[in-house]
Amino acid sequence: DHGAQRTREPAYYQQRPDPFALALVLEQWDDIERRIDHRRRLMSIYRDELGETATCTPNSQAEVCPIRQPIRVKDKRAFFETMFSAGTDLGWSFDYAVSPHDQQADFPHAHEIAREVLNLPIHEGVTEARARDIARQAKDVRARQTQDDAHAG
């Protein structure tokens, strides 16, 4: 039984919530379904425009509240800088689940994700039209990186 290994709650459950975070939650609570639907629509646009291999999202409906829309790229720094110079800010964070049996491993997949994954914006300030523009821009940058790799090799 997975839960049987835990004998007490993790320390973070014993911490008081941050008042600022609580204020944000309360402000957005009545509108949460619309906000989630907005994020899912943007994720769908990115997947439709870029394809599943680029966006790394097997099932957006499985996530209760989408937080990130990852995109896999060849050269993370160059991709980020190109997108940023064109007016699109991308996120750098990612999650990586580790099983209890892997705690002593080198985590090669986590290293690969850290080298190759950025996050496309899915916040409230991004309209569906803007998401399509971002997707086209990302597709162009990915294509240029692939061409550069072909010419270099």
Side-chain angles (χ1 to χ4, degrees):
D1 179 33
H2 176 69
Q5 296 176 0
R6 186 184 308 155
T7 57
R8 60 187 183 139
E9 294 298 324
Y12 56 83
Y13 284 136
Q14 299 167 13
Q15 296 177 0
R16 291 181 54 95
D18 178 63
F20 180 73
L22 285 175
L24 283 176
V25 167
L26 291 174
E27 178 185 318
Q28 297 176 7
W29 188 256
D30 291 336
D31 201 22
I32 195 75
E33 291 300 321
R34 184 195 61 77
R35 292 170 185 276
I36 291 170
D37 289 343
H38 175 76
R39 287 172 177 246
R40 285 187 175 143
R41 280 193 310 276
L42 296 185
M43 292 171 74
S44 179
I45 289 168
Y46 290 138
R47 282 192 316 279
D48 290 348
E49 295 286 332
L50 295 165
E52 292 288 335
T53 56
T55 56
C56 313
T57 306
N59 182 1
S60 67
Q61 298 302 314
E63 192 170 358
V64 176
C65 180
I67 296 171
R68 297 180 190 95
Q69 175 55 71
I71 180 170
R72 193 170 205 155
V73 299
K74 298 268 186 200
D75 182 341
K76 188 173 182 173
R77 170 77 52 195
F79 189 93
F80 174 84
E81 289 175 357
T82 302
M83 295 288 287
F84 188 78
S85 68
T88 301
D89 195 6
L90 304 172
W92 283 73
S93 62
F94 68 93
D95 293 325
Y96 185 77
V98 178
S99 82
H101 306 291
D102 292 336
Q103 291 183 7
Q104 300 302 316
D106 186 34
F107 309 116
H109 292 106
H111 291 285
E112 184 179 348
I113 292 168
R115 282 190 308 272
E116 299 177 0
V117 173
L118 288 164
N119 296 297
L120 297 166
I122 60 170
H123 57 79
E124 290 290 309
V126 179
T127 64
E128 291 180 33
R130 177 69 179 125
R132 285 185 191 88
D133 290 341
I134 291 168
R136 281 191 286 274
Q137 179 186 16
K139 195 175 200 175
D140 290 346
V141 175
R142 285 183 89 236
R144 281 195 303 262
Q145 284 187 336
T146 301
Q147 287 175 348
D148 291 348
D149 284 350
H151 288 65

